[in-house]
Amino acid sequence: MTTLDPLAASCPAPRAETERVLLGHGSGGQLSAALISNVLVPALGAAAPPGALEDAAVVAVDGVDIAVSTDAYVVSPLFFPGGDIGALAVHGTVNDLAMRAAMPVALAVAYVVEEGFPLADLRRVAASVGAAAVAAGVPVVTGDTKVVGRGAADGVFVITTGIGRRLPGVAPSATGAAPGDAVLLSGPIGRHGTTILSVREGLGFEVDISSDTQPLHRLVEAMVRVGGTAVHALRDPTRGGIASALGEIVGTVRDTDPGHVVVRTAVGSRRVLDMLVGEQLPRIC
Amino acid sequence: MTTLDPLAASCPAPRAETERVLLGHGSGGQLSAALISNVLVPALGAAAPPGALEDAAVVAVDGVDIAVSTDAYVVSPLFFPGGDIGALAVHGTVNDLAMRAAMPVALAVAYVVEEGFPLADLRRVAASVGAAAVAAGVPVVTGDTKVVGRGAADGVFVITTGIGRRLPGVAPSATGAAPGDAVLLSGPIGRHGTTILSVREGLGFEVDISSDTQPLHRLVEAMVRVGGTAVHALRDPTRGGIASALGEIVGTVRDTDPGHVVVRTAVGSRRVLDMLVGEQLPRIC
């Protein structure tokens, strides 16, 4: 087993002022983590939050814990088997709240639209946002729409922010996994990414597969009802995939090799599963 | 004085499925209002909020009124005299909360970055977000960063969402103006837009002017401390400008000509000030 620290070894943070943003900086993997930890959070200075970065922040307002999460959705293509950018934008933010055991109370939706984008497609995206929000039981309370010139955006980007109410008595956290914990997977691995791959223009790849995008807050509510405070950590792996999420939460958590995921393969051997370094497939969400 | 209804006459909502999004749909004027009222809100169906659209929504969570506002910032150029997209994104959202008499408690910030964007510029924008947030006294509690390929965005877009705590005992609303009310302007008109115009590439227009972008929540707090419930309506005119804001809140509100703004000119004559129809200067925020 290697003794390399995967977070320190293969992923230099961009430093020189001549450096430029790469697609991999948006991958959700190591380059993303480096950009956030070494550039974006330090730049915030005293405005940055203390402690670990989570899928959603928890803020106390007049004694009530409010969960807040924001995500920009830039998936390409906009429409894919099993969903579209509108549904994905609702599900992703609802799920980020759910990872803090928070049930969605309200959504805010912003659109950045490229001039010339078909109005019918914008209506279709907005209707999908609405349908997904209704299905998740959360109203869209406010929004914004900006239009930029041709070539200044790619069709439409959808940015959703969710406000959530935390379930009482539990406080799952990204850093909450403890030695002895077992990891449960709630669904198949890589299905959404593979779906996007299958329909990505020019890739000439076809397979009968659809995205499993869906809201998970009711599943979390049921888990917490049964498991209570035994639910230590919840993650919704998207861009970095299961490998990056498992880099933080190991299948069985042992304190002998923190930061390393060891996979037992079908033939019984073991190998280290590293965090995603760069961008495997851009713009899956 | 004309008897035309400016909201009904000159601004047909886009209807045919062959129609496309225009820059004017993001203007904050009549075309924007039509897009929101005729396309985006109806598409949301049962997920849409009841009642009037406000700068910020107010949501009750466990008995506590939370104000929520989201805005996508696409200003071009990113850096301009008096500010930049980062400061603007903080001020705009803080001010949208303030228009509901809410003081900012937390901000969420999402970046959509174009591949190849200079890392130094991204750091500069993030530092400006941080400095503006510190100056406004509000932490940035969560965020997201997405990277899209070259030509799929224009440098960087910044999307901020604010959570606010309402000042007790007051409830200003966009529709709260009543006959007999007087309108107070807190600063100069059109200074930010004129600044953007002066530095817009290729316009060959130069003037010694800078944006007056700033947070207004402390001003609102002071007004409410003095005025209490006599503060009926607050607006932060940006894209639609003072003309569009006054279309809803007249200098002296009379019930004889609702929906019409009558301006007394320097030479003593009167003329109707119409709402902005399309896009006068795209991407000022």
Side-chain angles (χ1 to χ4, degrees), chain A residues 105-111 129 133 138-145 158-163, chain B residues 36 40-41 44 47-59 66-72 93 96-97 100 159-163 239:
Chain A
V105 172
L107 289 180
V109 180
Y111 301 99
V129 165
V138 57
V140 176
V141 298
T142 190
D144 187 36
T145 310
V158 182
I159 305 93
T160 47
T161 306
I163 307 298
Chain B
I36 293 168
L40 295 179
V41 171
L44 286 177
L53 294 170
E54 305 267 1
D55 287 322
V58 176
V59 179
I66 309 287
V68 187
S69 183
T70 197
D71 262 311
T93 289
D96 279 346
L97 293 175
R100 302 301 299 275
I159 306 92
T160 47
T161 306
I163 308 297
R239 286 173 289 170

Side-chain angles (χ1 to χ4, degrees), chain A residues 14 17 19-21 40 43 47 49 62 71-72 116-117 119-120 123 127 140 144-146 151-152 154 157 161 163 165 239, chain B residues 14 17 19-21 40 47 49 62 71-72 116-117 119-120 123 127 140 144-146 151-154 157 161 163 165 239:
Chain A
E17 295 308 289
E19 288 194 80
R20 293 179 178 273
V21 174
L40 295 179
D62 289 342
D71 262 311
F117 186 66
L119 202 72
R123 184 184 283 115
V140 176
D144 187 36
T145 310
K146 291 283 162 61
D154 188 11
F157 302 140
T161 306
I163 307 298
R165 176 195 288 113
R239 285 173 288 169
Chain B
E17 295 310 286
E19 288 195 79
R20 293 180 177 269
V21 174
L40 295 179
D62 288 342
D71 262 311
F117 187 65
L119 203 71
R123 184 183 284 114
V140 176
D144 186 36
T145 310
K146 292 283 162 62
D154 187 11
F157 302 141
T161 306
I163 308 297
R165 175 194 289 113
R239 286 173 289 170

Side-chain angles (χ1 to χ4, degrees), chain A:
Chain A
M1 190 178 306
T2 176
T3 55
L4 277 177
D5 177 354
L7 282 174
S10 51
C11 179
R15 279 186 202 91
E17 295 308 289
T18 54
E19 288 194 80
R20 293 179 178 273
V21 174
L22 309 172
L23 281 174
H25 285 123
S27 67
Q30 293 186 31
L31 269 181
S32 288
L35 180 70
I36 293 168
S37 302
N38 302 334
V39 179
L40 295 179
V41 171
L44 285 177
L53 295 170
E54 306 266 1
D55 287 323
V58 176
V59 179
V61 183
D62 289 342
V64 174
D65 272 356
I66 309 288
V68 187
S69 184
T70 196
D71 262 311
Y73 293 85
V74 299
V75 63
S76 173
L78 299 171
F79 306 97
F80 48 82
D84 58 43
I85 193 171
L88 199 66
V90 170
H91 296 160
T93 290
V94 163
N95 292 348
D96 279 347
L97 294 175
M99 297 306 104
R100 303 301 300 276
M103 299 297 109
V105 172
L107 289 180
V109 180
Y111 301 99
V112 176
V113 193
E114 183 185 11
E115 181 190 16
F117 186 66
L119 202 72
D121 284 352
L122 182 59
R123 184 184 283 115
R124 186 175 163 198
V125 169
S128 182
V129 165
V134 167
V138 57
V140 176
V141 298
T142 190
D144 187 36
T145 310
K146 291 283 162 61
V147 181
V148 297
R150 285 171 200 272
D154 188 11
V156 65
F157 302 140
V158 182
I159 305 93
T160 47
T161 306
I163 307 298
R165 176 195 288 113
R166 295 193 93 187
L167 296 172
V170 289
S173 159
T175 61
D181 281 358
V183 171
L184 306 179
L185 299 185
S186 67
I189 292 175
R191 198 167 125 185
H192 172 73
T194 311
T195 302
I196 298 298
L197 183 66
S198 77
V199 293
R200 185 66 61 82
E201 196 178 3
L203 286 183
F205 173 90
E206 258 188 62
V207 65
D208 186 18
I209 192 175
S210 62
S211 169
D212 58 346
T213 177
Q214 60 186 298
L216 298 173
H217 59 301
R218 297 188 181 100
L219 174 66
V220 168
E221 193 174 26
M223 283 174 63
V224 165
R225 199 183 306 128
V226 174
T229 56
V231 179
H232 290 167
L234 297 165
R235 297 309 300 270
D236 178 33
T238 318
R239 285 173 288 169
I242 193 75
S244 294
L246 286 180
E248 297 163 3
I249 308 170
V250 185
T252 298
V253 181
R254 303 178 201 270
D255 52 10
T256 50
D257 38 57
H260 293 78
V261 181
V262 184
V263 183
R264 195 179 309 157
T265 67
V267 295
S269 64
R270 290 165 168 244
R271 74 174 188 90
V272 171
L273 180 66
D274 211 354
M275 277 180 77
L276 188 67
V277 176
E279 185 68 272
Q280 202 161 20
L281 176 67
R283 300 179 63 183
I284 67 163
C285 64

Side-chain angles (χ1 to χ4, degrees), chain B residues 169-248:
Chain B
V170 288
S173 160
T175 59
D181 281 357
V183 170
L184 305 179
L185 299 186
S186 67
I189 293 175
R191 199 167 123 184
H192 172 73
T194 310
T195 301
I196 298 299
L197 183 67
S198 76
V199 293
R200 186 65 62 80
E201 196 176 4
L203 286 184
F205 172 89
E206 257 187 60
V207 64
D208 185 18
I209 192 175
S210 63
S211 169
D212 57 344
T213 176
Q214 60 186 297
L216 298 173
H217 57 303
R218 296 187 182 101
L219 174 67
V220 167
E221 193 175 24
M223 282 174 62
V224 164
R225 198 182 308 126
V226 174
T229 55
V231 179
H232 291 167
L234 296 165
R235 298 308 299 268
D236 178 32
T238 318
R239 286 173 289 170
I242 193 75
S244 293
L246 286 180
E248 296 164 5

